[in-house]
């Protein structure tokens, strides 16, 4: 009975996430978005409460990872947040030999970029008069991605892969500490992580990924590796 109820809750949660992805940015249909967003948390709490206890740990973690990956994949084509255009711009600026810490997007020296292939990216940047504020490692990451393809889809796909990595590290932590597998749902099924990382494409997942690797290594008594990450 518990497995049937859990399956029904999973279907309801998946439908809720799919509907949230389909209606577009959260600000377009505020009331509907907030109902779906809040409903996702309620369904998540119920999924954790009625998680089938008979599953072995590898099976349980695999099931949860699958749910998390499916939900995130549905948000790959969700309209990105304006921040992602800043990421792309600052990566591309570096690839053209300029320093984004010194030159804001509206600097005359970058006009040829703003009016060229990156014109659409430039038009979607917020605060054109402000130079870069992101840490150096993040800017180097932007540079690499912009070198591959200066597009929102590529940046979002990279963040999606990092989010898969976060779930994998959390699963390893749970196994190492012999904690209940359903705790992974707190992240894998969390609407906040699904919408704002995979949907809007925010940078935070890059920091979370390396932070968790560090925590995992410290938990394994690997001090040097833990502090490095």
């Amino acid at each position: 009975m518990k497995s049937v109820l859990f399956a029904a809750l999973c279907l309801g949660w998946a439908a809720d996430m799919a509907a949230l992805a389909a209606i577009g940015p959260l600000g377009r249909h505020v009331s509907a978005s907030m109902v779906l967003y809040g409903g996702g948390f309620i369904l998540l709490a119920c999924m954790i409460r009625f998680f089938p206890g008979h599953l072995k740990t590898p099976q349980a973690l695999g099931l949860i990872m699958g749910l998390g990956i499916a939900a995130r994949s549905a948000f790959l084509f969700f309209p990105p947040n304006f921040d992602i255009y800043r990421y792309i711009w600052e990566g591309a600026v570096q690839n053209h030999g300029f320093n984004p810490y010194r030159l804001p997007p509206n600097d005359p020296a970058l006009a040829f970029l703003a009016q060229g292939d990156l014109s659409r990216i430039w038009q979607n940047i917020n605060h054109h008069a402000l130079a870069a504020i992101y840490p150096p490692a993040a800017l180097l990451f932007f540079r690499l991605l912009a070198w591959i393809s200066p597009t929102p889809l590529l940046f979002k796909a990279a963040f999606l892969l990092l989010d898969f990595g976060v779930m994998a590290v959390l699963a390893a932590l749970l196994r190492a500490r012999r904690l209940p597998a359903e705790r992974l749902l707190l992240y894998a099924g969390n609407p906040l992580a699904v919408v704002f990382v995979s949907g809007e494409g925010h940078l935070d997942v890059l920091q979370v990924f390396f932070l968790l690797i560090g925590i995992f290594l410290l938990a394994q008594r690997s001090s040097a590796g833990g502090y490095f990450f």
Side-chain angles (χ1 to χ4, degrees):
M1 184 61 185
K2 195 172 183 180
S3 297
V4 174
L5 181 56
F6 177 75
L9 288 167
C10 286
L11 288 174
W13 173 82
D16 184 273
M17 291 292 99
L20 192 56
I23 65 174
L26 298 182
R28 181 182 295 171
H29 305 287
V30 177
S31 297
S33 295
M34 291 302 99
V35 168
L36 291 168
Y37 187 65
F41 282 101
I42 294 171
L43 289 165
L44 173 62
C46 293
M47 288 164 66
I48 296 169
R49 170 65 179 82
F50 295 102
F51 191 84
H54 68 276
L55 293 177
K56 294 181 179 178
T57 298
Q59 294 174 320
L61 291 175
L63 171 62
I64 296 167
M65 289 281 289
L67 289 170
I69 290 170
R72 284 159 174 77
S73 299
F75 277 82
L76 186 58
F77 297 99
F78 189 83
N81 185 271
F82 286 108
D83 287 355
I84 205 167
Y85 296 101
R86 169 73 71 161
Y87 307 159
I88 297 168
W89 175 261
E90 291 176 357
V93 162
Q94 293 175 81
N95 287 326
H96 282 84
F98 296 96
N99 184 348
Y101 286 127
R102 295 187 62 189
L103 303 180
N106 67 354
D107 192 285
L110 302 177
F112 75 100
L113 286 176
Q115 297 165 9
D117 294 339
L118 294 173
S119 61
R120 177 176 166 272
I121 301 299
W122 187 88
Q123 290 166 12
N124 284 292
I125 296 173
N126 281 334
H127 309 296
H128 289 86
L130 299 181
I133 63 169
Y134 298 106
L139 283 182
L140 291 174
F141 185 64
F142 300 161
R143 181 175 184 172
L144 172 63
L145 296 183
W147 176 75
I148 297 171
S149 177
T151 60
L153 183 60
L154 187 277
F155 274 65
K156 285 183 65 175
F159 295 149
L160 187 63
L161 289 174
L162 285 167
D163 213 19
F164 294 166
V166 168
M167 289 189 287
V169 178
L170 284 172
L173 270 169
L174 290 174
R175 291 202 68 176
R177 302 192 67 183
R178 297 183 181 179
L179 294 171
E182 58 266 30
R183 291 191 185 183
L184 182 58
L185 271 171
L186 289 168
Y187 185 83
N190 194 311
L192 187 149
V194 174
V195 173
F196 291 99
V197 173
S198 301
E200 294 198 350
H202 285 282
L203 171 66
D204 309 68
V205 69
L206 175 66
Q207 300 155 321
V208 172
F209 175 66
F210 287 108
L211 176 64
L212 279 175
I213 292 178
I215 291 172
F216 177 77
L217 292 174
L218 289 173
Q220 298 299 108
R221 304 218 186 319
S222 176
S223 298
Y227 284 112
F228 172 79
F229 279 99

